[in-house]
Amino acid sequence: MKKSRLLLNIVMVVIICIVAIPILLLVGSKWKHNTENQAEIYYLSGSGYALKGITKTIDADKKTENIIMELLQELKQQPQKEGFFSTIPEEVSFLSVNLHDRTAVVDVASSYLSLTNVQRVLVRCAVVWTLTSLDFVDNVEIQVEGHTLQTSAGEAIGLMNRENVHIDGEISAETTEYAIFKLYFANVEHNALIVEDRVVEVNTNQAKEKTIVEQLIAGPLEKGYFATVPIDTKVRDVTTTKDGICYVNLSQDFLSKSSGEHNKEVLMVYSIVNSLCALDTVNKVQFFVEGEKIEDVKGNLDFSKPFTEKDDIGSMLEDKR
């Protein structure tokens, strides 16, 4: 009799397990699906270009693409929290969102391209950090009306995530750290220098001063701006001392490929000097060619001593009227 009861109890336990476990698993799965998750929406905070997140509760029952689109639209709204400001300009429209293998592909309207360089970087930073705060998004790819987003140099930016897009007061984006430089180029009449604010990818192993000179040689991106330094010029070395003197060592092309005209030489020299002196670390610029100090270039300027920044370049130019 005892053996029969024991056998009956064992059979009942087995039946309960067979019936109950699938039910518990189903209920548990449903309960997990219905829990509300959280995301972080990244806004401008305080002065400068620092981005900080504000936590938001999301409905996990919604389609993932709908959740992403709602977050993007919220980035355009002015946050209620004091000291925080909208990151996405009103004129920027998000056309569509697709999620593939944990990568959110965001298609924006061409109005994005009309933004300044700084605004574009801020938009990318905010979008990447906001969307990757979702537990189902690891990477973000931004397209402009179906076309792959590219750098100013024409290179595809590719996948962005929290490993290669940094947010801080310096502005960081794309694949490594980025900085904002003031680059001086000639105007259309070649009688003044005008500033182009450029967001530039910074190699952390290279001095910012060298990057600035390289960008000047590459030429302007804005219409109506003109390069001042011969395109064949090579940057041999750039070093800044503790007392703020920046030593710029260039190839012979800096001299041989220049026109020798007084006005063009003045614009060439001070486009470099003023761009470098825009950095807090630089007060003066001393030029070298192939490691040797320059005495003069066709008698126009005195290269034997360091140059200092000049705001009124027009007063140094010859009147050609």
Side-chain angles (χ1 to χ4, degrees), residues 49 51 112 117-129 142 149 151 157-168 170-180 199-203:
Y49 300 107
L51 296 177
Y112 165 85
N117 288 333
V118 175
Q119 288 177 315
R120 294 180 198 175
V121 174
L122 285 172
V123 167
R124 294 199 295 269
C125 288
V127 169
V128 170
W129 276 70
I142 296 179
L149 186 63
T151 66
I157 290 179
L159 298 184
M160 295 175 284
N161 51 54
R162 294 195 177 198
E163 295 297 321
N164 57 30
V165 175
H166 308 284
I167 53 173
D168 51 37
E170 291 285 322
I171 283 197
S172 304
E174 297 186 5
T175 57
T176 56
E177 294 184 359
Y178 271 64
I180 305 171
V199 180
V200 180
E201 184 178 1
V202 176
N203 184 338

Side-chain angles (χ1 to χ4, degrees), residues 137-254:
V137 176
D138 291 334
N139 302 292
V140 175
E141 178 185 344
I142 296 179
Q143 298 180 348
V144 178
E145 298 196 358
H147 299 284
T148 301
L149 186 63
Q150 298 181 338
T151 66
S152 58
E155 299 176 354
I157 290 179
L159 298 184
M160 295 175 284
N161 51 54
R162 294 195 177 198
E163 295 297 321
N164 57 30
V165 175
H166 308 284
I167 53 173
D168 51 37
E170 291 285 322
I171 283 197
S172 304
E174 297 186 5
T175 57
T176 56
E177 294 184 359
Y178 271 64
I180 305 171
F181 294 138
K182 290 185 176 297
L183 303 180
Y184 286 78
F185 296 100
N187 65 352
V188 65
E189 294 86 7
H190 283 80
N191 60 8
L193 292 175
I194 48 181
V195 180
E196 178 185 313
D197 289 317
R198 185 179 298 181
V199 180
V200 180
E201 184 178 1
V202 176
N203 184 338
T204 56
N205 296 318
Q206 176 175 296
K208 290 182 179 180
E209 293 87 337
K210 184 176 182 181
T211 302
I212 287 175
V213 178
E214 291 174 341
Q215 292 291 317
L216 290 171
I217 295 171
L221 300 178
E222 303 290 343
K223 292 182 179 179
Y225 290 57
F226 294 86
T228 61
V229 185
I231 190 66
D232 295 324
T233 303
K234 307 295 188 300
V235 183
R236 302 302 189 200
D237 187 34
V238 180
T239 304
T240 302
T241 61
K242 291 182 179 179
D243 56 356
I245 300 179
C246 182
Y247 293 89
V248 179
N249 184 18
L250 302 172
S251 68
Q252 184 64 38
D253 303 288
F254 179 65

Side-chain angles (χ1 to χ4, degrees), residues 47-102:
S47 59
Y49 300 107
L51 296 177
K52 292 185 179 179
I54 296 178
T55 302
K56 173 184 174 61
T57 301
I58 60 173
D59 186 355
D61 281 332
K62 289 186 177 180
K63 187 179 178 181
T64 53
E65 282 84 354
N66 292 342
I67 294 174
I68 293 172
M69 183 60 80
E70 287 180 5
L71 292 179
L72 293 174
Q73 295 300 333
E74 193 148 350
L75 275 172
K76 297 176 62 174
Q77 305 301 316
Q78 178 62 31
Q80 298 298 315
K81 191 171 182 179
E82 186 177 353
F84 285 74
F85 306 93
S86 174
T87 318
I88 312 296
E90 184 61 33
E91 61 266 29
V92 175
S93 300
F94 296 102
L95 303 179
S96 65
V97 173
N98 291 290
L99 186 66
H100 302 291
D101 297 328
R102 301 182 64 82

